[in-house]
Amino acid sequence: MNKKTRLGLTGMQNLGNTCFMNSVLQCLANTEPLTKFFLFEVYWQHLNRKNALGTRGRLAEAFANLVQDVWLGKSSHVAPWDVKSWVARKAVQFQGFAQHDSQEMLSVLLETMHEDTNAVSKKPYVEMKDSNGRPDAVVAKEFWDALKMRDDSIFVKLFYG
């Protein structure tokens, strides 16, 4: 294989015991719609610099840089330091280099990057009615519509529905 055309065949350096994080990052970096969103820099127009529930776009930018390195870089491996740093700032349990649960890392990554790209800056209060025997489809649609009033990002589109 030509060293210049690695196209996604890039490993991630273990930063202590961060294999749990690397496996999650590899999965996300190989989720085609998400990869294209970051690789082709579509994410720039969706960054929410005002949203304090995320990192004001910084984790999304770090992930975008990582995706660029994985897919377009010339190295056989990359070290995801910036992603780890922003995750640790958002969720202190990921500070240091201890082993953690992959699902917990995935949850923090998805939620934080969702908020970094959430089109809704001011989340309205939405009061939900009890189902009161109404059909599940009607209640589900109400909940979905209410969620979309507060949360609108590629992460909701890809992973919530």
Side-chain angles (χ1 to χ4, degrees), residues 111-130:
E111 182 61 26
T112 305
M113 287 198 293
H114 155 67
E115 293 297 350
D116 279 358
T117 58
N118 192 355
V120 180
S121 290
K122 235 179 176 178
K123 296 185 179 203
Y125 173 76
V126 179
E127 190 170 332
M128 300 306 302
K129 298 183 244 174
D130 289 334

Side-chain angles (χ1 to χ4, degrees), residues 54-68:
T55 60
R56 301 185 193 277
R58 293 180 188 100
L59 177 58
E61 288 176 318
F63 182 74
N65 291 334
L66 180 67
V67 169
Q68 294 274 335

Side-chain angles (χ1 to χ4, degrees), residues 27-29 31-39 63 67 110 113 154-155 158-159:
C27 287
L28 292 176
T31 301
E32 186 176 351
L34 193 60
T35 300
K36 288 178 178 178
F37 181 78
F38 285 99
L39 194 61
F63 182 74
V67 169
L110 291 178
M113 287 198 293
I154 188 170
F155 295 94
L158 290 177
F159 301 112

Side-chain angles (χ1 to χ4, degrees), residues 9-151:
L9 300 176
T10 303
M12 291 192 194
Q13 181 180 343
N14 195 3
L15 311 174
N17 272 336
T18 58
C19 52
F20 69 94
M21 178 181 74
N22 293 350
S23 65
V24 167
L25 291 173
Q26 284 286 11
C27 287
L28 292 176
N30 284 281
T31 301
E32 186 176 351
L34 193 60
T35 300
K36 288 178 178 178
F37 181 78
F38 285 99
L39 194 61
F40 300 130
E41 298 184 347
V42 176
Y43 77 97
W44 270 106
Q45 58 193 314
H46 296 275
L47 286 178
N48 188 335
R49 301 280 187 198
K50 298 176 184 174
N51 191 344
L53 296 175
T55 60
R56 301 185 193 277
R58 293 180 188 100
L59 177 58
E61 288 176 318
F63 182 74
N65 291 334
L66 180 67
V67 169
Q68 294 274 335
D69 289 345
V70 166
W71 282 92
L72 303 176
K74 295 180 177 139
S75 180
S76 63
H77 67 280
V78 294
W81 284 108
D82 289 342
V83 171
K84 184 190 179 317
S85 174
W86 282 108
V87 167
R89 289 179 191 186
K90 193 64 186 168
V92 296
Q93 69 266 31
F94 294 110
Q95 291 177 351
F97 301 96
Q99 180 67 34
H100 291 281
D101 184 72
S102 293
Q103 190 280 328
E104 290 174 15
M105 171 59 74
L106 177 63
S107 179
V108 169
L109 271 170
L110 291 178
E111 182 61 26
T112 305
M113 287 198 293
H114 155 67
E115 293 297 350
D116 279 358
T117 58
N118 192 355
V120 180
S121 290
K122 235 179 176 178
K123 296 185 179 203
Y125 173 76
V126 179
E127 190 170 332
M128 300 306 302
K129 298 183 244 174
D130 289 334
S131 62
N132 292 330
R134 294 179 297 141
D136 288 346
V138 171
V139 175
K141 183 175 180 346
E142 283 178 5
F143 273 86
W144 181 246
D145 290 344
L147 179 123
K148 290 192 308 185
M149 290 173 60
R150 298 174 50 83
D151 298 299

